[in-house]
Amino acid sequence: MRLIGALAIPLIALLSSCTQPSTTLRGFVYQSISTGGSPVAGAQVQLQVGNSTKSALTDSSGAFALTYSGAANFSLTVIPPAGSGLGSVTFDSVPVAAYTDQYGAAGEMNIYLPGGPAATLPGTRSTFGCITGRLLDTDGTTPVVANPPAQAPNRTSPAACNGTQPPGIFNSGSTAISPGENGLVLFGGFRVVTTQASGSFRVPLFTGNNGFAFSGSLWGGNYTGTDTGDPNTATAYFWEKFAFKPRADLYTKPSNFIDTPAGDLVLEPFDPTTNPKVATLSITHDTSALSGFNFNDPNKALSFSIPLFNHAIHSGGIELGQYYHLGAGAMNLRVIKLDPAAQSQQIEVDSTALNLDTSARSTVTQWRDGTNLGTPLTAKFLAIPSLQAPANNASGQPRSPTLSWNAVPEATLYEVDIYDANGKLVWYGLSKNTSLSVPITLEANKAYQWQAFAYEGLEMSDAIGRDPDATLAARWINPRHLAGLKGFPSNPVNEAYGRMAQAYLDTLGYIPAARTTRQRYLQNLLTNGYRESASEVFAFQTGN
């Protein structure tokens, strides 16, 4: 009996190790959508479980598979082939349960590597077309002819409507609208032109997916409303007049096509006191979690809210105004009044607190539909991650440094990015911890910059699979678009974000949303809102 007892524990341990389930982690590695979205062959995928590391190279389809046993978490790093121009990514302490089913097989991971605006989307825009109509004033007869201010982009109807695609069509046709412009017409919420003589407009669309019919909304009007009557002293900007057509069909052909008529758009006042189609939504900003923001001086820090009308799956959001919060109390945002029965329609409110000295910022995104549009909002900003190491302007740093930052209350996930001297992203990592070792080797004696982001509600399984370049593009702060940020200082990282945004405008015609599209995460967003914050940018230089 003693012998059996002596052997019992080792035998149980042996049986336990033999029956320990194994997990096969599978996935695909792609270029960012901005660089074509094609598979990346020859990328090195490093899987770390405890003290054990396994690696594999992606095949011609970008696929990889790595099998391991035990552990509740793993870390994954993907390093692109040398000379590809792509950046690396790291996912730290990923829960195995998020990628394992009852049969021990892991769900596939789609991983996108950042690359910057190096190439256009594959294929050719083989079909094109224009939707045409007139924009008329509130009397239904007087044409609205655009007279945009000097700082606005040239939005004249482009030659694309004649079957050609001149350079820069998407630069001028997709740039975000700015307060002060009139005679604007938007198709789908993102393609923008201005009216010409007789109030006529022609909105172009190019596509390479062999689609010959597209649906989108039409929105027209004058984005000239202010709370003071003077754009230079205003703190609120909104549409003075608007017209909305929820669906307009656009037909395209390879050549010898005619414009698709959309009819007349007749303006009505965007005023809740005279138009029952317009309402107000109250919002208050809570900046108590932010430190280092001098909101007493609008040249040092400020916060603002932008309401958008999200009305249909096939169209993007329509910006309804810009409201700059320069004091305590609530702001009343002018918004479209929603039908309680049409719960797919929503008012999205994006609020931002921005430190103009450091470019650190915190954002809150919230939603209302027709059932709760009258319920006021409070934008409670998330604290900013405070960077610890490497310190700002530190020199002689390791070529594989460890980045660290202070914890942010209520944050569920952190992101850290390393940029080169030109602001291009070379590596980013996601972690629940407040430090992360860079698994790649940076160049010797080179200048780099780094930044940290905090997210509330975002989990690792939600973040994996998003396009990092799309995330960067959505972070672009465009002072020309934001009326209250004319003095926003330039910095290489924001300029790189702008180049990324331009790449998407040139290839897709719009800038994708930064948020993930996973259904569970979207449900959480609609219920609780979305919060993230971005630190200031620190610089450091590597040693030998």
Side-chain angles (χ1 to χ4, degrees):
M1 294 296 295
R2 286 194 298 271
L3 180 60
I4 294 176
L7 292 175
I9 294 177
L11 182 59
I12 291 173
L14 179 61
L15 289 173
S16 176
S17 65
C18 290
T19 59
Q20 192 171 34
S22 62
T23 300
T24 300
L25 186 68
R26 304 179 188 276
F28 293 86
V29 178
Y30 301 98
Q31 297 181 41
S32 165
I33 299 299
S34 71
T35 54
S38 57
V40 178
Q44 185 180 34
V45 183
Q46 298 177 347
L47 175 69
Q48 183 174 352
V49 180
N51 296 323
S52 175
T53 300
K54 292 187 175 184
S55 65
L57 295 178
T58 56
D59 63 19
S60 59
S61 68
F64 67 88
L66 289 164
T67 301
Y68 65 96
S69 300
N73 298 292
F74 64 85
S75 294
L76 195 74
T77 292
V78 181
I79 303 173
S84 66
L86 301 174
S88 303
V89 302
T90 295
F91 306 107
D92 178 50
S93 299
V94 182
V96 172
Y99 290 94
T100 307
D101 63 23
Q102 63 268 35
Y103 303 107
E108 291 182 346
M109 307 167 69
N110 291 328
I111 299 172
Y112 292 87
L113 299 182
T120 58
L121 289 176
T124 60
R125 296 184 176 94
S126 56
T127 59
F128 41 83
C130 281
I131 188 167
T132 184
R134 292 190 308 162
L135 186 65
L136 304 177
D137 213 334
T138 53
D139 58 8
T141 58
T142 304
V144 178
V145 180
N147 182 24
Q151 70 269 21
N154 179 10
R155 299 193 190 280
T156 55
S157 296
C161 288
N162 297 322
T164 60
Q165 184 186 343
I169 169 183
F170 291 99
N171 299 3
S172 61
S174 303
T175 305
I177 57 176
S178 301
E181 295 189 78
N182 74 332
L184 292 166
V185 179
L186 290 72
F187 174 75
F190 50 80
R191 180 74 70 244
V192 188
V193 297
T194 47
T195 55
Q196 306 302 298
S198 302
S200 63
F201 61 84
R202 300 174 78 193
V203 188
L205 182 75
F206 270 76
T207 179
N209 64 4
N210 297 319
F212 291 93
F214 297 87
S215 291
S217 66
L218 276 177
W219 178 283
N222 302 330
Y223 197 3
T224 53
T226 65
D227 58 339
T228 63
D230 182 355
N232 296 315
T233 61
T235 61
Y237 304 84
F238 42 84
W239 293 88
E240 182 180 5
K241 298 178 181 180
F242 80 105
F244 175 61
K245 186 174 184 178
R247 175 171 174 171
D249 296 327
L250 171 62
Y251 300 96
T252 64
K253 298 181 180 180
S255 62
N256 301 320
F257 61 94
I258 59 174
D259 289 348
T260 304
D264 294 337
L265 298 178
V266 179
L267 296 181
E268 50 189 306
F270 193 68
D271 187 347
T273 63
T274 61
N275 191 343
K277 297 179 182 179
V278 183
T280 58
L281 174 59
S282 175
I283 186 170
T284 303
H285 287 182
D286 182 350
T287 61
S288 59
L290 303 178
S291 60
F293 284 64
N294 182 9
F295 290 107
N296 293 321
D297 185 347
N299 295 313
K300 297 290 186 180
L302 50 78
S303 61
F304 54 92
S305 289
I306 297 178
L308 300 101
F309 175 35
N310 296 329
H311 55 89
I313 294 174
H314 61 267
S315 292
I318 297 169
E319 180 176 308
L320 299 178
Q322 298 179 11
Y323 296 81
Y324 293 85
H325 194 79
L326 301 181
M331 296 182 293
N332 289 320
L333 316 179
R334 296 190 183 197
V335 298
I336 294 296
K337 189 174 183 179
L338 304 179
D339 183 350
Q343 295 187 36
S344 61
Q345 295 186 349
Q346 296 166 341
I347 298 297
E348 174 183 331
V349 180
D350 298 334
S351 301
T352 300
L354 179 62
N355 189 325
L356 295 171
D357 284 335
T358 66
S359 297
R361 62 185 182 272
S362 185
T363 61
V364 180
T365 302
Q366 298 162 291
W367 288 265
R368 288 286 185 261
D369 60 28
T371 66
N372 58 5
L373 187 60
T375 305
L377 293 169
T378 297
K380 182 175 175 58
F381 294 103
L382 194 65
I384 306 294
S386 177
L387 304 186
Q388 298 301 302
N392 196 20
N393 297 319
S395 59
Q397 294 300 296
R399 294 174 61 188
S400 296
T402 296
L403 310 179
S404 62
W405 57 94
N406 283 350
V408 171
E410 300 177 282
T412 56
L413 192 67
Y414 299 99
E415 175 188 335
V416 281
D417 298 352
I418 292 183
Y419 314 91
D420 65 14
N422 296 318
K424 182 177 180 179
L425 181 65
V426 297
W427 172 85
Y428 82 96
L430 290 161
S431 179
K432 284 183 171 292
N433 302 311
T434 54
S435 67
L436 190 58
S437 296
V438 180
I440 65 171
T441 302
L442 304 175
E443 293 188 54
N445 302 309
K446 292 288 186 179
Y448 290 94
Q449 300 171 88
W450 75 286
Q451 189 176 23
F453 299 83
Y455 302 99
E456 182 204 27
L458 188 69
E459 298 295 339
M460 188 71 73
S461 57
D462 299 315
I464 294 176
R466 67 178 181 174
D467 183 348
D469 283 354
T471 301
L472 298 180
R475 289 172 179 164
W476 177 38
I477 297 176
N478 182 359
R480 186 172 66 182
H481 165 227
L482 297 165
L485 299 186
K486 294 181 177 64
F488 182 72
S490 175
N491 67 77
V493 173
N494 188 56
E495 291 172 1
Y497 292 167
R499 292 192 295 271
M500 196 75 66
Q502 191 63 66
Y504 279 99
L505 290 176
D506 289 342
T507 54
L508 296 180
Y510 62 94
I511 301 172
R515 294 181 293 276
T516 180
T517 56
R518 291 174 62 94
Q519 184 61 34
R520 179 175 61 83
Y521 183 54
L522 283 178
Q523 290 173 346
N524 291 338
L525 283 179
L526 294 175
T527 302
N528 305 316
Y530 172 82
R531 297 200 298 169
E532 72 171 69
S533 60
S535 74
E536 60 184 306
V537 176
F538 273 12
F540 70 92
Q541 183 160 345
T542 56
N544 294 321

